[in-house]
Every structure is written in structure tokens, then in C-alpha cells.
Amino acid sequence: MAPDSVPRYAPAFVTTVIALMLTSAVFLLEPWPFTAFRLFSVARVDQQSAWSATVVNLEGEELAYPLGGEDHGFRGFPFTMAEFVEASRERQDELCRTWVEGAPTLIDEEAREVRLYLRTWRLSERDGDRAASGETVLRYVCTDLGASVAEAGSQP
Amino acid sequence: MSSVRRFVFAAEDARRLAGLRIALFGLLAIRLATNGDYAQVADQPAALFDPVSLFHLLSSAPSSGLTTVIQALAVVAALCAAAGAYPRVSFPTAFALALFLGLMLNATGKIVHNDVLLMLCLLPLLAAPSAASRAWSLKSRREGSAAPALLDPAYGSPIRLAMIIVGLAYLLAGLQKLRFSGLDWVTGDNLRYVLLSASDSQAAPNQLGLLIAEHEPLFNLFAAGALVVELGFILCLPFAKLRWVLVPAAVGLHAGIWLTMDLDYLSQALTVVVVFVNWAWIAEALRPESRLWPPRPGRRTPI
């Protein structure tokens, strides 16, 4: 059997693949698996912030709510929160209802409300091998009706 | 431009391309079979569905039942592709199903890079299913055409394009760091904070990461090393001897990330090794009777 020959489309294919990689990077596009390759590209700073959630169940107990964990598609919580703070009122309500309705699935508890806390801390301030806890403030409260902004200064 | 063309369309051994096919599709099959994340993101609530790329065509995440079927079919297709069985069908099927599953993971708000390089390096094989199945395949065995020692640009171009993809991936990752952070990425406290943050997010403090983070020249040196590897890796395309340094350096970079930050880039590290290893040379080293005779031009080194 004769060896294969280089297909006529091969040069165009090579050019297209390289062009797609370069274009995605230059214009910060993410047509996965092509990507902008922005891995750790923004320098990390000392000041950090992160969102966490709790559930208030029907008995009024406040329980940890592992949004951002690995289960049932809720893992994008940190990224969804970046959208949430900038989102329209309707979108905030939609996300809030989703998190309230997700409680029975994730922690086997009906939720009267979901509380969203913002923690801020400095990586350089250490408590042994861990970062010092910083400050945690309640920012939003979710119910099955939607989102509301928490009263200033509420602590967990 | 002509030097690029000469590089891409250089003659390579059919067995080297076959080795690339077996290893990349084999790695894909293992990744697909062992990744439990697909089931975790199936049935994602519609409000949280945040698609990228082709998933914009869908209105919500696939169900867990559909995901399980697709995952099983993808593993079978990837194994068939690795074996060189029905390559014109198995190659695109395995890629398309893996793409679907990959897009599921990317629909949760974060771009997942772990398998990007593997997926991109499969593209050259998709364009050359016949050439990639010329040696060491069920197809060649069935057709009685197992010519183990063919040298031709048809076998070289997919390998060389995969090399370019790997080189560009590292180069672009390095350039984006300079673009968004400048030299501060190396000279500032960036890597210190990255390591502290990574350690804090692990169940137990990462003592290696903390050791580096607490010594100023050390984290700057590691940051510089990482950037040099990323920016310099592409040099091993024109200067083949640099592969002996840069391939282990890239693997070391991913090993370091795994040890200090607990981030699994094993798929990417293996892809780099698979693309740059000369599988024909390995075969000849193991079975000297399989050497080409008379000797023909082409690279006769392990990588």
C-alpha cells in the first residue's frame, strides 16, 4: 500500500488552528477548547474577598450551605456571585430563588432564607499557618420571593 | 514562512504518529472514564447555566441520564480511536463527545483549562485519520497494510502541528501574564499570595507552598522560572536539543503546581510528553529488528 500523502487542505488547516489560538488569546475569547490562556495572568494581591452562604431552616437554625462545592451544578457560586452583585433586580431574584430551592438537594433542609456573606481578609495577616479570619459581613438575604440587601453591619 | 512550512511538513515515521494517536486518545479515554465531575454538573439549575462556546446553542445543562450515556459512548469511541478502529468515525466521535462533556464543565462560570491542551492536540489527528492509523492499528492489521516504517510528511504534519500547539499554549499563557501584570508578576509578591491563598484553601496547610511563600527571593525565583519555561518553551520547536531541557521543565512546572497548589494538570503534562516523545525510536529501542532498513532520513532521537 502506498504511503498517505499530505492532504490538500493540510496547509489551510494548520493555518486555521494557529490563527484560532492567536485570535482567542488576543481578543480574550473562549471558544473552548480554544481559550485565551489567562491562567493566573492577573497578579494576586494581598487583599482578598470571598462569598459564603448559610441556610436558615424552618426552625430558624442557621446552617452552613456549601454553595461552591462540587455538587449538582452549584460549584460556580464564587463566579455567579461576581455576576450577582452587578446583576439586575430580576436576575438577583432568579438566582436567590434557585439557591433557596437548592437547599433540600444540597443539605437536605428546607430553607426559609439563604444568607450571603462577604468575607474580606489579607493574605499577609497570618494566624499560624492560616490567614487571619478578617471580617465577614452579611450582604444579601434570599427568600423564595427574591433578594434583599441586608442591614449594614450584620455579622454571621 | 518557508521555514515554518519546512518544519510542519517534515517527514516523520508512521509509527511515531501512531504512538501519538494511541497515547492521546488513550489519555482521553482515561480522563473521560475517571472524571466524576460530569455527573456533578449534570442537572444544573437553569438559572446557573453559564455556557461558553457551542453550549450557547443549549438552553440548560444536560440531564444526568444523558450525561452518563454520552460519557460511556465517549470512552468507547476514544478507545476505538486509540486502537485505530474505524478512524474516520471514531476520531471525530470521540472528540465531539469529549467536547460536549468539556463544555458541561465550562458552563459553571469558570473556564476549565485542565484538558484544553489534550483537546487541542487531538485536532491534528482529526484532520489525518488515515495517516494516523497507518501503523499499530486494528485498521492496518485488518487491511494487511501494517507498514511499520513509512517516512512521509503525511505522518509528520500532525505531529508537528501538535508540537506547535503545545509551544503556542505555553507562549500565550506566558504572554498573558506579561500583558495583564507586567514584570510585577515575577518581581512583586504575586506568587507569594498565590501560594498562601492555595495553602489556605486546602484541607491542611501546604508546608511546601508556605516555605516558598515565606522566603522572598525564593518565590520570585520560582515565578521567574515559571515564566521563563512558558515563554521559552516554543524555542524547542526550532532547536530540538532544547526539548531535553524544556519538556522536563514543563512537566516539573506542573508537578510544582500540583505539589504546592493541589491543582491537577497531569493531563497537560502527559500531553506534552506524548507529543514530544519519538515513539518510533522507543519501539526500535525495545525491538531492534523493527529498525528501518536501509536507514532513511529523519530524526532518530528519543524526543
Side-chain angles (χ1 to χ4, degrees):
Chain A
M1 178 174 283
D4 295 271
S5 56
V6 176
R8 270 184 302 176
Y9 59 78
F13 181 79
V14 171
T15 305
T16 302
V17 170
I18 293 173
L20 277 170
M21 288 186 76
L22 295 176
T23 304
S24 300
V26 170
F27 296 104
L28 305 181
L29 306 175
E30 298 291 346
W32 203 91
F34 292 93
T35 173
F37 286 104
R38 292 193 60 186
L39 296 101
F40 295 96
S41 61
V42 177
R44 193 67 64 95
V45 294
D46 193 11
Q47 182 74 42
Q48 298 287 299
S49 65
W51 291 91
S52 62
T54 62
V55 157
V56 178
N57 67 13
L58 300 181
E59 288 74 44
E61 296 172 292
E62 187 168 5
L63 308 168
Y65 192 22
L67 289 172
E70 297 292 305
D71 297 325
H72 305 288
F74 287 84
R75 64 167 56 180
F77 176 67
F79 309 98
T80 309
M81 281 309 301
E83 177 202 349
F84 181 91
V85 295
E86 304 284 337
S88 66
R89 185 59 197 254
E90 291 73 25
R91 176 65 175 152
Q92 287 186 336
D93 289 346
E94 181 188 29
L95 289 169
C96 266
R97 282 193 295 272
T98 301
W99 290 322
V100 169
E101 291 165 6
T105 307
L106 288 181
I107 60 168
D108 203 21
E109 290 276 352
E110 291 287 339
R112 192 166 71 195
E113 62 184 42
V114 171
R115 295 177 178 173
L116 303 175
Y117 292 94
L118 180 63
R119 178 189 166 213
T120 53
W121 74 99
R122 287 186 178 278
L123 287 167
S124 59
E125 293 173 2
R126 312 298 294 173
D127 180 7
D129 283 342
R130 297 292 197 187
S133 56
E135 183 183 31
T136 302
V137 178
L138 177 63
R139 296 292 299 272
Y140 298 96
V141 176
C142 295
T143 67
D144 54 5
L145 297 176
S148 59
V149 178
E151 291 176 23
S154 301
Q155 299 289 326
Chain B
M1 213 55 200
S2 62
S3 59
V4 174
R5 195 178 172 83
R6 269 201 307 277
F7 175 84
V8 173
F9 296 103
E12 290 277 5
D13 193 313
R15 297 168 301 174
R16 181 170 187 174
L17 180 57
L20 188 69
R21 181 201 80 232
I22 293 167
L24 288 185
F25 277 114
L27 177 58
L28 181 68
I30 292 170
R31 293 288 294 176
L32 292 169
T34 58
N35 194 340
D37 286 359
Y38 307 123
Q40 302 285 9
V41 300
D43 291 322
Q44 183 186 32
L48 303 179
F49 186 59
D50 187 9
V52 297
S53 189
L54 295 173
F55 255 33
H56 282 292
L57 299 171
L58 304 184
S59 58
S60 63
S63 67
S64 55
L66 177 63
T67 302
T68 303
V69 171
I70 288 177
Q71 192 172 355
L73 289 175
V75 172
V76 172
L79 289 174
C80 287
Y86 308 104
R88 289 184 187 282
V89 176
S90 61
F91 284 22
T93 303
F95 183 85
L97 295 176
L99 178 65
F100 185 92
L101 293 165
L103 288 173
M104 282 181 66
L105 300 184
N106 280 277
T108 58
K110 183 181 188 302
I111 299 301
V112 181
H113 290 102
N114 306 58
D115 289 328
V116 157
L117 197 60
L118 171 60
M119 292 293 287
L120 289 176
C121 285
L122 289 172
L123 290 173
L125 295 175
L126 290 188
S130 177
S133 305
R134 180 64 62 193
W136 298 344
S137 73
L138 291 178
K139 179 175 181 282
S140 61
R141 186 175 286 250
R142 193 171 57 242
E143 294 175 352
S145 61
L150 294 170
L151 277 171
D152 194 277
Y155 311 125
S157 59
I159 297 168
R160 299 308 184 90
L161 178 55
M163 287 180 177
I164 291 173
I165 288 169
V166 173
L168 270 181
Y170 282 105
L171 178 66
L172 293 172
L175 288 176
Q176 297 292 42
K177 291 177 176 66
L178 292 178
R179 177 181 177 182
F180 289 98
S181 301
L183 280 178
D184 197 41
W185 198 91
V186 170
T187 58
D189 285 343
N190 165 58
L191 189 59
R192 177 184 175 223
Y193 294 139
V194 167
L195 293 171
L196 288 175
S197 178
S199 174
D200 290 343
S201 66
Q202 293 172 48
N206 187 303
Q207 296 302 331
L208 178 60
L210 291 174
L211 176 75
I212 297 169
E214 286 160 2
H215 293 83
E216 182 164 0
L218 208 51
F219 60 75
N220 293 130
L221 283 173
F222 274 99
L227 198 59
V228 165
V229 171
E230 288 190 337
L231 293 174
F233 192 91
I234 202 157
L235 291 175
C236 76
L237 302 187
F239 304 109
K241 286 185 178 172
L242 281 178
R243 293 171 196 170
W244 289 100
V245 176
L246 289 169
V247 171
V251 172
L253 174 66
H254 294 298
I257 290 171
W258 176 64
L259 287 171
T260 56
M261 301 171 65
D262 197 28
L263 294 179
D264 175 12
Y265 278 89
L266 180 64
S267 166
Q268 180 159 336
L270 288 176
T271 300
V272 174
V273 173
V274 162
V275 168
F276 283 92
V277 164
N278 187 342
W279 297 96
W281 187 94
I282 302 275
E284 290 180 359
L286 295 173
R287 294 179 60 194
E289 69 274 16
S290 68
R291 280 195 186 128
L292 291 178
W293 192 260
R296 304 189 198 184
R299 290 184 47 73
R300 316 304 303 168
T301 60
I303 63 175

